Amino acid sequence: MNKQLQNFITANYNSSLPPVRIIESGQGAYLTIDGKNVLNLCSSHYLGLAVDLRIKKAAQNAIETYGMGTGYRTLAGTHVLHLKLEEKIATFKGVEAAIIFSGGYMANCAAIQTIFGKEDIVISDELNHASIIDAIRVAGIKNKYIYRHRDMKHLEEILSTLPPEVKDGAKILIVTDGVFSMDGDLAPLPEIVTLAQKYGAITMVDDAHGEGVMGKGGRGTVDHFGMQGQVDIEVGTLSKAFSVMGGFISGKKELIDLYRQKARQFMFSNALSVPDTAALIEVFDILIQSDELVNKLWENANLLKSQVKKAGFDVGNSQSPITPLMLGDEDTAGQFAAKLFEEGVFATAIRFPMVPKGKARIRLIPSASHSKEDIEFAVEKIMKVGKSV
Ligand SMILES: *Cc1c(COP(=O)(O)O)cnc(C)c1O
């Protein structure tokens, strides 16, 4: 191997990290790990759709008819199923149009890079997802500003003191997660939009953890705040509540048409496969028809949250089903997760660098696939472990 490459690997590879858990089952209410059946409280399949029979059937039928792969959307890869899925997403979201990508990460990169460049200005919440941070880098934007998490005073301070030589002719983007994935708290969208209007800024929300979860029937965080049509660019993932894979941007038709023509992530990367696309069409059909799964998710989330709070745990500022048990100490969080696993509950410890040092936690994510008994079982085990660490 090249010597420099060898040195780089030696300097950067951390051989003391614990190995990842290997899942031997589907992503249902329970997971099989090392042959053991454990309650799944850590996946982002909020609606339990990853193992839903209707989704499996839809994928199977599509494979029978069309096979697997598609292609480049702009060459010979735009399948009728892709267009059908984009229409379903737009219908579900109650917006004019949507465009799909092979991941939420890609959708964020496309959303920003296609429209914003070197001389533009981006103002970003300090806890925004890594893919937004990378998207800003990919776009090569020079003028980056970070506001303190959900701090609207700080956001306005930045907006009102942008140097005129920077501001002259530049587009300004305010970008935020809808639901913050480590804390479960929400972006203050009404205030952000008001500030954006005051200072002529464009708004973008990455709602990866809000789509299928927040708002009426899971329409998302923008819907939760009753602000449909007021956020310029909405990004979502198809891999969390929607349980397949892929990402999308939704909004006004002319905006989506521009992405269709100019987004490099759309032009130079393959489209979603046949079974992924067909499964997702079924997902949106289910969600357009009924709020049942979203209601069940919230029933479980409210039960879990109220019970762990009653048991004395600090769940921070969560307004979503994401329920962090704030433990603080890194080792305590690690031991807590290990003991929970022994008790048959799988929930991961979230530690530095995913969250700041001293803010370690266990992140619990209930889903619609859990029964009331599952949640009660989890609470009982959490209380038991809480007494021993
Ligand atoms: C998970 C996530 C993404 C990435 O989505 P993928 O579809 O997994 O690429 C982007 N943004 C946020 C906020 C996320 O939580």
Side-chain angles (χ1 to χ4, degrees):
M1 193 189 285
N2 172 288
K3 191 91 185 100
Q4 270 184 313
L5 176 58
Q6 184 67 65
N7 291 343
F8 181 85
I9 294 170
T10 310
N12 286 280
Y13 182 74
N14 180 353
S15 53
S16 65
L17 284 182
V20 294
R21 302 268 192 204
I22 297 164
I23 314 297
E24 296 149 357
S25 62
Q27 293 275 346
Y30 287 79
L31 298 173
T32 311
I33 299 173
D34 296 334
K36 189 175 149 172
N37 202 32
V38 288
L39 186 69
N40 174 13
L41 275 185
C42 60
S43 81
S44 302
H45 297 292
Y46 290 97
L47 301 176
L49 288 167
V51 293
D52 190 289
L53 260 180
R54 296 165 289 184
I55 308 303
K56 290 188 201 176
K57 275 268 167 299
Q60 280 163 358
N61 290 342
I63 291 174
E64 279 301 318
T65 315
Y66 303 114
M68 285 297 299
T70 55
Y72 278 67
R73 290 290 299 271
T74 41
L75 299 175
T78 294
H79 196 275
V80 284
L81 289 177
H82 292 137
L83 297 181
K84 198 165 163 190
L85 173 57
E86 288 170 335
E87 270 168 36
K88 293 277 178 201
I89 295 172
T91 304
F92 174 71
K93 293 283 297 167
V95 297
E96 287 178 14
I99 176 171
I100 50 174
F101 296 86
S102 55
Y105 188 118
M106 296 279 257
N108 270 332
C109 289
I112 295 180
Q113 186 193 17
T114 309
I115 296 179
F116 302 91
K118 201 166 153 211
E119 302 303 331
D120 291 318
I121 297 163
V122 57
I123 314 176
S124 174
D125 187 290
E126 69 176 327
L127 294 190
N128 277 347
H129 191 259
S131 59
I132 296 179
I133 297 167
D134 291 359
I136 295 167
R137 286 197 193 128
V138 167
I141 298 167
K142 265 192 328 198
N143 305 306
K144 295 178 256 191
Y145 299 85
I146 312 279
Y147 61 93
R148 287 187 294 273
H149 182 47
R150 300 175 75 246
D151 186 337
M152 293 297 103
K153 270 216 183 87
H154 193 203
L155 174 58
E156 177 149 31
E157 205 177 292
I158 294 170
L159 282 162
S160 63
T161 56
L162 288 170
E165 68 277 11
V166 165
K167 225 173 115 183
D168 200 20
K171 298 187 278 303
I172 306 170
L173 173 68
I174 304 173
V175 57
T176 181
D177 282 16
V179 176
F180 289 88
S181 57
M182 297 302 158
D183 297 83
D185 51 352
L186 307 184
L189 293 185
E191 290 82 357
I192 289 175
V193 167
T194 301
L195 285 176
Q197 279 163 356
K198 184 170 167 190
Y199 292 93
I202 296 161
T203 47
M204 169 172 156
V205 173
D206 170 4
D207 209 15
H209 282 275
E211 302 287 4
V213 173
M214 303 301 302
K216 188 176 174 311
R219 265 66 175 173
T221 307
V222 170
D223 182 276
H224 166 87
F225 285 110
M227 300 184 67
Q228 300 88 339
Q230 295 181 60
V231 170
D232 296 302
I233 307 168
E234 272 194 82
V235 172
T237 176
L238 298 166
S239 65
K240 297 205 168 107
F242 306 133
S243 276
V244 184
M245 70 168 298
F248 65 92
I249 307 175
S250 64
K252 293 268 189 297
K253 183 174 179 300
E254 54 210 299
L255 173 77
I256 302 306
D257 283 344
L258 174 81
Y259 284 126
R260 248 176 236 295
Q261 221 172 60
K262 293 273 161 59
R264 296 176 66 80
Q265 293 75 5
F266 187 77
M267 295 163 73
F268 302 115
S269 186
N270 219 283
L272 285 185
S273 77
V274 164
D276 288 327
T277 313
L280 284 161
I281 291 170
E282 182 67 22
V283 165
F284 285 97
D285 275 340
I286 291 170
L287 297 181
I288 289 166
Q289 275 162 27
S290 162
D291 295 350
E292 191 188 326
L293 288 175
V294 179
N295 293 341
K296 180 68 186 164
L297 163 67
W298 277 97
E299 213 175 277
N300 285 338
N302 290 333
L303 178 65
L304 176 66
K305 226 188 258 179
S306 65
Q307 291 294 312
V308 293
K309 264 195 207 164
K310 211 165 94 186
F313 287 96
D314 171 12
V315 300
N317 222 350
S318 173
Q319 294 165 271
S320 73
I322 294 171
T323 306
L325 299 179
M326 298 298 192
L327 298 170
D329 182 65
E330 315 285 314
D331 290 340
T332 309
Q335 282 167 27
F336 204 107
K339 286 197 174 163
L340 270 182
F341 188 78
E342 278 168 32
E343 297 286 342
V345 177
F346 187 30
T348 37
I350 310 270
R351 285 170 282 196
F352 182 80
M354 289 173 90
V355 292
K357 274 220 168 80
K359 295 208 168 169
R361 66 201 65 179
I362 302 285
R363 185 177 63 165
L364 308 170
I365 306 186
S367 83
S369 63
H370 293 117
S371 66
K372 184 163 177 265
E373 290 69 34
D374 291 334
I375 302 295
E376 284 167 350
F377 171 77
V379 172
E380 182 198 317
K381 298 302 182 186
I382 289 163
M383 286 168 66
K384 182 175 170 194
V385 170
K387 289 195 185 103
S388 73
V389 294

